[in-house]
Amino acid sequence: MKFSLAHLTVIGCPPPEMTYLAARAGYDYVSLRLIPMGVAGENLYLPEDKKMISDTRTALAQTGIEVWDIELARILVNKDPRDYLPAMEVAAELGARHVISSAWTNTTGDRDVIVEHFARLCDLAKPLGLTVNLEFPSFSRLTNLQQAADIVAAANRCNSAILLDTLYLHFSGVTPEEITALPHHWFQFIHVCDTSPEIPRDKQEMTRIARDNRLYIGEGCIDFSAIFKSLPADITCSIELPNLQRVKKYGYEEHARRCLASARKHLGAG
């Protein structure tokens, strides 16, 4: 099992620094946020920042770390998917394999728009050798696995996939049987973290937990064994585990180490 360090886990680290940190902590890959969301606490790491990209390329070469994916190509009604092309081109230059997307349209009857935009993202990504992975955050437009699967099936692109996140599997009540029922090749990697049993009923609290208060694997209630039995055996884990209190206590690097240590211990990865 291989592991990537997701940028949200250490969101204050610029990509070059994050790459060196990931190498010291024992990760195989980094997952970079090169398409900002404009949320609180997020720094801007833009693909047009040539020095930052050059420094990242140097860090990758010096450490042997690879880029697994970039995020986040959001599907919005008034957002042209072509606007994400510069970031995807930089991702391809850095050796990335995947792009994360999710839908934030919040408009009644917008399924066809989501399908169209997702398909166009896949078409833009294909010549670059990138797969587009559709995620379903429980506070976004798509809130469960069935909705995400409907979009991927309707888009019918060979470089499309679904990104599972163990937090959202818990929030949405997704069962292992639902995962098993879908094509295995739709699952290229998975975001992992743990969480407490309580499921928030409002989007604001879901968002707070997702961005600020995820738990180390083994500290919460998620049945990782059941989830992983329903997935391809060689699936890559991207550890997306932001926790403001842990970062304040340990610092980014030690937090990243503890994230990986708990994952290796509880996911049977040695």
Side-chain angles (χ1 to χ4, degrees):
M1 185 177 290
K2 292 190 174 183
F3 294 92
S4 185
L5 177 60
H7 214 152
L8 189 59
T9 306
V10 291
I11 195 61
C13 286
E17 177 185 340
M18 177 185 170
T19 302
Y20 291 116
L21 181 158
R24 292 192 298 268
Y27 288 82
D28 304 287
Y29 307 106
V30 287
S31 301
L32 303 178
R33 180 171 288 192
L34 296 182
I35 309 172
M37 290 182 63
V39 298
E42 178 188 62
N43 294 334
L44 297 181
Y45 310 121
L46 302 174
E48 56 265 35
D49 184 341
K50 294 183 179 180
K51 184 179 187 308
M52 182 270 289
I53 296 300
S54 176
D55 289 347
T56 301
R57 187 179 291 108
T58 298
L60 295 168
Q62 290 181 346
T63 61
I65 293 286
E66 299 177 41
V67 179
W68 183 254
D69 66 89
I70 70 158
E71 62 173 3
L72 177 65
R74 288 181 293 171
I75 296 172
L76 301 161
V77 172
N78 297 319
K79 183 72 171 178
D80 189 332
R82 289 177 297 182
D83 292 345
Y84 299 124
L85 186 56
M88 291 195 290
E89 289 173 339
V90 168
E93 291 172 7
L94 294 176
R97 308 177 193 189
H98 302 280
V99 178
I100 300 175
S101 180
S102 53
W104 301 85
T105 51
N106 293 322
T107 304
T108 303
D110 58 5
R111 173 187 177 273
D112 290 346
V113 172
I114 298 172
V115 171
E116 177 189 356
H117 282 222
F118 182 70
R120 290 177 63 196
L121 277 172
C122 292
D123 292 342
L124 291 166
K126 186 177 180 181
L128 301 172
L130 298 168
T131 296
V132 183
N133 297 258
L134 184 63
E135 191 176 23
F136 52 95
S138 304
F139 42 90
S140 69
R141 168 62 177 80
L142 305 175
T143 61
N144 58 56
L145 180 57
Q146 292 87 353
Q147 291 174 346
D150 172 58
I151 300 301
V152 171
N156 192 28
R157 296 300 194 268
C158 64
N159 63 324
S160 64
I162 295 174
L163 174 58
L164 303 177
D165 184 310
T166 55
L167 181 68
Y168 304 138
L169 294 180
H170 175 64
F171 282 174
S172 301
V174 175
T175 66
E177 290 75 20
E178 290 179 76
I179 300 171
T180 304
L182 297 174
H184 259 205
H185 68 268
W186 280 6
F187 304 111
Q188 301 288 313
F189 66 108
I190 181 171
H191 277 165
V192 293
C193 71
D194 214 336
T195 192
S196 59
E198 298 80 13
I199 300 176
R201 294 304 172 190
D202 64 274
K203 291 185 176 182
Q204 184 175 357
E205 180 61 9
M206 284 185 180
T207 303
R208 186 193 69 81
I209 292 172
R211 293 178 179 165
D212 298 335
N213 198 34
R214 301 188 188 209
L215 302 180
Y216 295 142
I217 293 173
E219 288 187 329
C221 66
I222 293 178
D223 187 347
F224 292 96
S225 176
I227 292 170
F228 277 84
K229 284 179 181 178
S230 65
L231 292 169
D234 60 349
I235 196 163
T236 293
C237 294
S238 179
I239 300 181
E240 186 167 82
L241 207 159
N243 185 301
L244 292 182
Q245 293 304 314
R246 300 290 171 81
V247 167
K248 187 179 296 184
K249 181 177 181 179
Y250 299 122
Y252 281 133
E253 185 165 337
E254 181 60 23
H255 174 56
R257 287 182 190 278
R258 288 170 179 261
C259 287
L260 183 57
S262 69
R264 289 192 180 281
K265 178 180 178 180
H266 293 282
L267 299 182

